[in-house]
């Protein structure tokens, strides 16, 4: 007797993707992977988290739990990550068991500002003048030598402007002692404060076969050290856009990244570009690609890591992205109704259980010709 349904073998195309980290970046990678027919297993220290709500399964364990890491690897075909602060030994272990994209070598450099800056400098990419600092004596000497306002940044574990202290060119020894103590770091970078006219980022993909493709750069503005708004296209000259993409491609090649690399940069008034930092993964400034681009940054990482051909990075709709931080929840959850009835507004909420000041709870993407007005209206509505 003929059956009215077909029993399918698991698709040859479908893979099991492991994601280290259960935050919003992991969530959006998982959504893209699921759309493409893959299974998703998420690994994080705490249960729940935005990615867990999308993944097929989750492993809850510390990032240095060898048994749990081995179990994770045994249940997936390949692994990627949504944040880079994972112990090097754990990454080495995972990479010995399954393809890990990006590789431990790439993550090791990107998770340490000293190694990152030294790598960039060695390969001739422009960075802000900096000094490596391991003691208050070195800090005092470096401040006197640089003779400029500067920023002291922890070598590891900093994010969203955390782990940074402003240093005045004429800071006293007592002030520098205080700054060093406040940082709670063993190693840090002191870098010149750059008088930039704009900030930007460029997201570049490199696949397992070495194919490289860059998204058009976006323009970013920060508030209190945290990304506030990203604009695509960036309001930069053609020359800057081309240079940023070209530089991105060269950095990705020099690092031999497989996956995505985001290059944050400062733009000087004379159109010079200075590389700020690197992130070996999808980036907050690329969230707009979900609506604005033929291929989102999340689909692109899945394509790059699984060995599929890379998707087109064409920007098909101009877009603005506004981050929604926990501060907006001060008097309860904001009223989202105005964000839901407009064809050029896309609201993304990550489903986090608790809102805290500075915590990224969601974002909104505004597209189309009225996007700047829509952004202003949204910002006004949050003030009231
Ligand atoms: N050397 C600098 N000069 C001027 N502003 C800086 C400098 N370094 C960082 N900033 C500002 O602080 C923000 C966050 O610093 P960043 O180094 O990117 O650290 P994070 O890892 O927190 O993103 C930057 O996007 C920029 O706005
Ligand atoms: Mg940054």
């Amino acid at each position: 007797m003929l059956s009215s349904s077909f029993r399918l073998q698991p698709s040859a195309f479908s893979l099991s993707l492991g994601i280290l980290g259960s935050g919003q970046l992991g969530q959006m990678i998982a959504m893209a992977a699921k759309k493409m027919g893959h299974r998703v297993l998420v690994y994080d220290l705490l249960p729940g988290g935005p990615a867990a709500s999308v993944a097929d399964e989750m492993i809850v364990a510390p990032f240095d739990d060898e048994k749990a890491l081995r179990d994770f690897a045994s249940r997936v075909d390949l692994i990627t990550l949504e944040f880079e602060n994972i112990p090097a030994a754990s990454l080495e272990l995972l990479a010995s068991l399954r393809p890990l994209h990006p590789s431990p070598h790439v993550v090791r450099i990107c998770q340490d500002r000293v190694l990152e800056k030294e790598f960039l400098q060695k390969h001739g990419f422009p960075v802000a003048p900096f000094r490596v600092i391991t003691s208050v004596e070195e800090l005092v000497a470096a401040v006197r030598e640089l003779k400029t306002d500067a920023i002291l940044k922890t070598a590891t574990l900093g994010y969203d402007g955390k782990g940074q202290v402003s240093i005045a060119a004429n800071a006293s020894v007592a002030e520098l002692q205080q700054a060093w103590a406040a940082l709670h770091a063993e190693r840090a970078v002191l870098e010149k404060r750059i008088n930039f006219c704009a900030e930007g980022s460029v997201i570049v993909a490199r696949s397992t076969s070495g194919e490289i493709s860059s998204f058009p750069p976006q323009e970013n503005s920060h508030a209190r050290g945290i990304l506030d708004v990203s604009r695509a296209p960036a309001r930069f000259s053609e020359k800057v856009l081309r240079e940023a993409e070209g530089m991105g491609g060269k950095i990705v090649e020099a690092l031999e990244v497989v996956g995505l690399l985001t290059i944050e940069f400062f733009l000087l008034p004379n159109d010079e570009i200075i590389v700020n930092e690197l992130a070996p993964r999808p980036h907050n400034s690329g969230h707009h690609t979900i609506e604005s681009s033929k291929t989102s940054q999340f689909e692109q990482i899945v394509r790059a890591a699984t060995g599929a051909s890379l998707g087109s990075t064409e920007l098909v709709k101009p877009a603005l992205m506004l981050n929604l931080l926990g501060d907006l929840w001060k008097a309860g959850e904001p009223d989202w109704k105005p964000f839901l009835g407009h064809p050029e507004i896309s609201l993304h909420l990550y489903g986090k259980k608790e809102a805290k000041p500075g915590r990224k709870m969601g974002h909104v993407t505004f597209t189309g010709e009225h996007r700047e007005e829509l952004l202003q209206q949204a910002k006004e509505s949050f003030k009231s």
Side-chain angles (χ1 to χ4, degrees):
M1 213 178 114
L2 277 177
S3 157
S4 60
S5 66
F6 300 100
R7 190 171 289 273
L8 295 180
Q9 295 299 320
S11 156
F13 178 76
S14 170
L15 296 166
S16 194
L17 174 68
I19 304 176
L20 295 163
S22 185
Q24 64 271 15
L25 293 173
Q27 181 185 49
M28 290 182 269
I29 297 171
M31 284 173 173
K34 297 293 301 173
K35 179 185 131 192
M36 296 170 85
H38 302 304
R39 280 182 59 76
V40 174
L41 176 62
V42 168
Y43 187 116
D44 208 333
L45 177 61
L46 297 172
S53 65
V54 180
D56 296 280
E57 285 179 281
M58 178 171 195
I59 290 180
V60 180
F63 282 99
D64 58 358
D65 180 333
E66 186 179 332
K67 192 165 164 285
L69 290 167
R70 284 184 183 279
D71 179 34
F72 176 62
S74 74
R75 287 159 63 181
V76 297
D77 296 305
L78 73 158
I79 302 168
T80 190
L81 48 84
E82 64 137 26
F83 78 118
E84 52 270 43
N85 291 324
I86 298 165
S90 303
L91 293 173
E92 292 290 350
L93 172 67
L94 290 173
S96 73
L97 299 167
R98 288 289 182 272
L100 170 64
H101 304 306
S103 69
H105 161 73
V106 170
V107 181
R108 195 173 64 88
I109 292 177
C110 296
Q111 71 183 186
D112 185 314
R113 283 188 200 277
V114 173
L115 299 183
E116 189 173 279
K117 288 225 188 304
E118 288 174 350
F119 166 85
L120 289 165
Q121 199 173 47
K122 185 174 136 208
H123 287 82
F125 299 108
V127 291
F130 72 96
R131 296 288 183 276
V132 178
I133 309 293
T134 61
S135 68
V136 73
E137 292 75 27
E138 286 177 4
L139 178 60
V140 173
V143 170
R144 302 295 176 248
E145 210 182 304
L146 281 181
K147 293 192 182 65
T148 160
D149 289 348
I151 303 180
L152 184 64
K153 302 180 178 179
T154 57
T156 57
L157 304 175
Y159 71 99
D160 284 347
K162 294 188 177 73
Q164 302 194 7
V165 184
S166 265
I167 305 280
N170 60 359
S172 66
V173 171
E175 283 168 334
L176 295 175
Q177 277 167 342
Q178 212 172 23
W180 182 245
L183 206 62
H184 298 293
E186 281 172 16
R187 280 161 72 250
V189 167
L190 180 77
E191 71 180 50
K192 178 179 174 180
R193 180 175 283 283
I194 302 294
N195 238 334
F196 54 76
C197 59
E199 286 188 84
S201 58
V202 58
I203 302 169
V204 189
R206 184 166 172 274
S207 70
T208 49
S209 64
E211 182 188 2
I212 290 180
S213 176
S214 168
F215 284 89
Q218 44 270 319
E219 178 182 347
N220 304 325
S221 60
H222 294 77
R224 293 178 292 133
I226 307 176
L227 182 66
D228 181 33
V229 173
S230 287
R231 291 180 161 81
R235 296 167 296 186
F236 304 157
S237 69
E238 268 305 314
K239 175 177 158 279
V240 167
L241 295 174
R242 270 199 314 273
E243 261 182 40
E245 282 191 32
M247 190 183 290
K250 284 186 193 141
I251 296 175
V252 156
E253 258 183 354
L255 258 180
E256 296 184 34
V257 175
V258 172
L260 290 192
L261 186 76
T262 305
I263 296 105
E264 295 180 14
F265 61 88
F266 302 130
L267 186 63
L268 302 185
N270 66 359
D271 267 3
E272 229 178 278
I273 292 172
I274 291 182
V275 178
N276 172 26
E277 63 169 351
L278 309 176
R281 51 169 170 75
H283 194 260
N284 193 172
S285 65
H287 289 357
H288 67 83
T289 56
I290 294 173
E291 286 82 16
S292 69
S293 305
K294 280 224 167 113
T295 307
S296 77
Q297 62 168 347
F298 303 103
E299 180 171 335
Q300 197 76 312
I301 175 69
V302 176
R303 283 170 173 261
T306 56
S309 56
L310 297 177
S312 162
T313 56
E314 187 192 339
L315 186 81
V316 286
K317 262 185 170 191
L320 287 176
M321 189 250 14
L322 170 68
N323 262 341
L324 302 173
L325 301 184
D327 311 58
L328 299 175
W329 271 248
K330 211 164 35 196
E333 182 158 5
D335 176 12
W336 302 119
K337 274 192 222 85
F339 293 83
L340 296 172
H342 195 292
E344 300 283 20
I345 300 179
S346 285
L347 175 67
H348 299 246
L349 294 171
Y350 308 143
K352 294 187 183 176
K353 305 260 179 337
E354 199 188 341
K356 286 188 192 166
R359 175 176 278 180
K360 291 170 181 169
M361 302 297 289
H363 70 268
V364 200
T365 307
F366 305 98
T367 50
E369 60 175 317
H370 300 296
R371 61 195 183 282
E372 292 283 355
E373 283 160 60
L374 294 172
L375 170 71
Q376 285 321 316
Q377 284 167 18
K379 287 202 158 195
E380 281 305 315
S381 79
F382 291 138
K383 280 185 198 153
S384 54

